[in-house]
Amino acid sequence: MFQGKNVVLGVSGGIAVYKACDIVSKFRKLSINVDVIMTKSATEFVRPLTFASMSQNPVTSDMFEEPKDWDIEHIALAQKADVFLIAPATANIIGKIACGIADDMLSTTVMATKAKVIFAPAMNTQMYLNPIVNENIKKLKKLGYEFISPGEGRLACGDIGPGKLADTEDIVEYVKNELSIKKDLKGKRILITAGPTIEKIDPVRFLTNHSSGKMGYKLAEAARKRGAEVTLISGPTNLERPQGINLIDVLSTEEMYEMVLEHFKDTDILIKSAAPSDYKVKKYSENKIKKASETLNIELVKNPDILKKCGEIKTNQQLIGFAAESQNLEDNAIAKLKKKNLDMIIANNILDENAGFKSDKNKVTLFKKDGFKKEYPLMTKENLANIILDNI
Ligand code: PMT
């Protein structure tokens, strides 16, 4: 399937360089041609010979080395790339590219390419959290460069936090998706909901849940890339506003309900990955509730079930729901599929600490109304988003 596809792999200098060898090996097993460009510091960690042997292509690192053929090398590789992956991407290479600096083979080739450039950052946690690195990443994202979020854990330097190179399977899967991007959703209008809702109790307090919005935002981005016209109705999140997507902000379930119904008739596919609050307070207190007694009872009343309502009024729309379950995953998911008149439901176990709410990954089982069932392993929400879209 990937025969004839070319990935240029930029390797910059960090302890994770050895993991880039595994990426090359995985690409080769998929018959993807890989040309490796190493920065000088990367060659201090792993010798170019290793990458040359694994990729079966010469490795480039020195701009002024005698050319291997008559093509100007950085231009030739820039043009050859179907996808340009930089893994591991250090703070230095991210900073250089963000500032338009082209002073070695890797930064020069990136500057000259028209291919999609994907960074897989790996660095010390404090470096990754440094506001300068953050600004550079934001700037690059705005310009259309893509980032595969690093994993969290114990790093080689002893720090614990984000900065670990993402799993090589996830990186390869991401690039595979990019190489096989189909515009199969061109002409489709997709409505996606994401994030939590909040239900105000008084001017200070509110009810909410742990949804970060990541699942919905990844779905929205994947659908946009595949050619869909996407409207994203989002509860409050800390996520960056996605490009090229009609984003509508809401706070409460009632507001989400109104916005979904307003757009539903002009929609081909609705994907409800939001976690709207099922209940709201019966009576909002205009003043801050005083700490007067040992216990405090707040009466809650049911919010509208948005998806159920859409299931009742749907004409030609496809309806996709999620089921956040902590027990009897299959039975509860199938019951929701039927009750809400859905075409497909994606069930996640919210007690799984590496998946579901807040995590960059998810582990789901997918059920369709015709009885189809498939369980998927833990994977990034980006990759899952594409699987969900493949299943529609
Ligand atoms: O946002 P993240 O941190 O990335 O986490 C992702 C997620 C865990 C929130 C997501 O994968 C998920 O499971 N979303 C659904 C959460 C939920 O509300 O599940 P539920 O089983 O309570 O609801 C079933 C379906 O009905 C959902 O599609 C939900 O959007 C919808 N619903 C629920 C309540 C309501 N009042 N109206 C609805 O439309």
Side-chain angles (χ1 to χ4, degrees):
M1 178 181 181
F2 297 104
Q3 194 95 37
K5 294 286 183 192
N6 295 299
V7 171
V8 174
L9 173 64
V11 182
S12 58
I15 188 67
V17 170
Y18 75 96
K19 294 186 185 169
C21 301
D22 185 39
I23 297 177
V24 176
S25 153
K26 288 190 162 78
F27 282 148
R28 290 303 301 135
K29 282 186 189 142
L30 292 164
S31 304
I32 296 171
N33 178 68
V34 193
D35 287 284
V36 178
I37 305 177
M38 298 179 80
T39 62
K40 176 122 190 20
S41 0
T43 64
E44 301 285 343
F45 289 90
V46 174
R47 291 186 62 200
L49 180 63
T50 311
F51 283 102
S53 313
M54 300 192 75
S55 66
Q56 292 162 359
N57 276 323
V59 171
T60 317
S61 62
D62 186 348
M63 279 270 278
F64 303 105
E65 204 177 69
E66 189 103 337
K68 294 175 191 75
D69 51 43
W70 287 108
D71 284 336
I72 303 172
E73 209 151 14
H74 67 277
I75 304 293
L77 286 181
Q79 287 171 347
K80 188 176 177 189
D82 293 307
V83 166
F84 204 123
L85 170 69
I86 306 182
T90 57
N92 186 51
I93 192 72
I94 292 170
K96 275 209 246 181
I97 295 169
C99 296
I101 296 171
D103 66 349
D104 63 6
M105 192 52 131
L106 178 53
S107 49
T108 314
T109 315
V110 171
M111 215 59 76
T113 194
K114 280 191 187 158
K116 171 65 75 192
V117 180
I118 301 166
F119 291 84
M123 65 193 79
N124 160 273
T125 298
Q126 295 317 318
M127 286 173 86
Y128 185 67
L129 298 176
N130 185 304
I132 300 174
V133 174
N134 260 275
E135 279 304 308
N136 287 336
I137 293 178
K138 258 196 209 152
K139 179 176 174 185
L140 287 168
K141 278 187 179 170
K142 243 191 179 158
L143 294 169
Y145 292 80
E146 295 191 6
F147 283 78
I148 303 177
S149 307
E152 293 199 20
R154 192 181 175 79
L155 307 185
C157 57
D159 269 15
I160 297 176
K164 252 167 83 136
L165 184 73
D167 290 342
T168 54
E169 298 87 61
D170 292 331
I171 295 176
V172 170
E173 197 57 36
Y174 194 105
V175 173
K176 271 169 64 186
N177 280 329
E178 192 60 45
L179 287 171
S180 50
I181 276 191
K182 336 154 227 223
K183 292 287 177 193
D184 54 352
L185 294 175
K186 206 170 166 51
K188 296 280 176 216
R189 292 158 304 176
I190 303 199
L191 184 58
I192 297 172
T193 67
T197 57
I198 64 170
E199 303 298 338
K200 292 182 184 165
I201 298 170
D202 69 9
V204 182
R205 294 124 176 157
F206 55 83
L207 293 172
T208 190
N209 60 59
H210 293 296
S211 170
S212 63
K214 287 177 185 171
M215 190 67 245
Y217 278 57
K218 293 297 178 197
L219 275 161
E221 278 167 30
R224 179 194 54 80
K225 275 194 190 174
R226 287 166 74 152
E229 193 186 304
V230 184
T231 297
L232 176 62
I233 299 177
S234 171
T237 75
N238 290 321
L239 303 175
E240 265 170 55
R241 299 182 81 79
Q243 308 277 313
I245 285 167
N246 175 25
L247 176 62
I248 299 170
D249 297 301
V250 294
L251 284 179
S252 63
T253 298
E254 196 83 49
E255 280 175 37
M256 187 175 274
Y257 177 78
E258 277 162 24
M259 280 299 136
V260 169
L261 288 196
E262 193 178 313
H263 287 82
F264 187 60
K265 58 179 181 326
D266 301 321
T267 291
D268 299 305
I269 300 160
L270 168 66
I271 312 180
K272 278 223 78 261
S273 55
S277 176
D278 289 319
Y279 290 90
K280 63 181 174 189
V281 292
K282 186 167 183 189
K283 192 168 177 337
Y284 171 74
S285 168
E286 296 291 342
N287 293 307
K288 182 181 171 192
I289 299 171
K290 288 289 179 198
K291 202 170 34 174
S293 56
E294 281 308 306
T295 57
L296 172 67
N297 294 318
I298 298 173
E299 199 175 347
L300 302 178
V301 290
K302 253 197 176 164
N303 258 326
D305 188 321
I306 308 165
L307 198 48
K308 186 161 175 283
K309 177 72 185 173
C310 293
E312 284 159 12
I313 61 171
K314 80 171 177 185
T315 47
N316 294 320
Q317 295 92 341
Q318 283 205 54
L319 281 197
I320 322 297
F322 274 74
E325 303 297 340
S326 58
Q327 55 188 338
N328 303 331
L329 189 94
E330 177 156 356
D331 290 349
N332 288 336
I334 292 174
K336 282 179 187 169
L337 178 93
K338 288 186 180 151
K339 187 174 149 207
K340 303 192 187 204
N341 192 17
L342 308 180
D343 297 280
M344 183 162 92
I345 194 156
I346 300 114
N348 37 207
N349 182 341
I350 49 163
L351 297 184
D352 192 332
E353 61 179 59
N354 299 313
F357 285 104
K358 288 194 289 198
S359 169
D360 287 328
K361 298 199 172 189
N362 211 353
K363 186 172 178 301
V364 305
T365 308
L366 195 145
F367 301 91
K368 293 189 189 174
K369 70 173 177 197
D370 61 5
F372 174 91
K373 172 189 167 187
K374 186 157 180 193
E375 201 175 329
Y376 292 93
L378 186 69
M379 66 178 78
T380 62
K381 286 181 176 168
E382 273 128 12
N383 293 337
L384 176 60
N386 275 300
I387 287 180
I388 293 170
L389 297 176
D390 287 343
N391 270 285
I392 291 177

